[in-house]
Amino acid sequence: MKTFWVDRDRDRYLTAVRDRAAEFAATVGDIAPVAFACVAWTVAVPPALDPGYVRWHRRVLTAQCLRNPFDGGLTARVELVSPLPAQLTASRTWWRDRGWRGWPELFGQFVQPSAQDLARHPHLRGTLLLETPLPLDGLPTPTQDRHVDAAADRAVAVLVRHLDDVVRPVVAQLDADHAAR
């Protein structure tokens, strides 16, 4: 099971990279590949590109790559759909027949409840926030030449590999726990 993967429509991503060349140009001169990788990631995921060039497991709500203000390193911030904690499911006395709803699903994807849903029923949705440093190895350095699109594509591929490595075990455990119920 993959948690993150790259879509086959590479041309659409490369066009988006060319359209946002100024954002990539702003990273040139930085000796670390972090800013360049963050821009490449931002262009590859919704809302910048919808559907995203980077795809993810249905439990992933958002995935960001950010420069860590402490040391300038690369930090991933991933929000995951989670079941309710055991403290809330052990007893339903708090529930008091109010019609609580969890995560709505649409074609197997977890989605935010609509305004209409929220007007009719209370919702309690569990999420997990995963924040972790990512290694810089394999990331391309910022470049001014005409190969920015190839470097951005390579950066995204490296980030997908690193994120999948970190997030996959968490998602697998969440799915295993859900299947056991």
Side-chain angles (χ1 to χ4, degrees), residues 10-86:
R10 183 173 182 253
D11 291 338
R12 194 170 52 93
Y13 174 64
L14 298 180
T15 299
V17 168
R18 289 183 210 109
D19 290 346
R20 296 176 70 170
E23 293 175 53
F24 287 96
T27 67
V28 174
D30 192 342
I31 65 167
V34 175
F36 184 87
C38 290
V39 171
W41 182 264
T42 300
V43 172
V45 300
L49 200 59
D50 196 10
Y53 177 52
V54 173
R55 301 297 181 98
W56 47 61
H57 187 276
R58 68 190 206 102
R59 285 197 181 274
V60 177
L61 293 173
T62 61
Q64 298 173 297
C65 291
L66 309 162
R67 181 187 290 267
N68 184 311
F70 173 71
D71 65 359
L74 184 59
T75 299
R77 186 176 201 274
V78 181
E79 188 179 18
L80 300 170
V81 168
S82 172
L84 294 177

Side-chain angles (χ1 to χ4, degrees), residues 1-8 41 52-58 109 156 160-161 164:
M1 167 197 61
K2 290 262 186 208
T3 307
F4 291 90
W5 63 93
V6 174
D7 187 30
R8 292 190 174 144
W41 182 264
Y53 177 52
V54 173
R55 301 297 181 98
W56 47 61
H57 187 276
R58 68 190 206 102
Q109 290 295 119
V156 166
V160 162
R161 188 177 67 244
D164 191 62

Side-chain angles (χ1 to χ4, degrees), residues 111-181:
V111 296
Q112 300 291 339
S114 69
Q116 183 178 7
D117 291 336
L118 292 172
R120 292 183 177 163
H121 303 282
H123 284 73
L124 181 62
R125 301 178 315 277
T127 60
L128 295 174
L129 180 59
L130 184 151
E131 294 177 304
T132 184
L134 293 178
L136 303 182
D137 48 307
L139 289 173
T141 54
T143 178
Q144 279 184 313
D145 65 18
R146 64 185 191 281
H147 302 293
V148 170
D149 52 355
D153 191 41
R154 191 168 62 251
V156 166
V158 169
L159 291 171
V160 162
R161 188 177 67 244
H162 290 322
L163 277 165
D164 191 62
D165 186 51
V166 170
V167 178
R168 186 177 359 94
V170 176
V171 168
Q173 186 64 53
L174 288 171
D175 280 350
D177 288 349
H178 181 74
R181 291 181 185 186

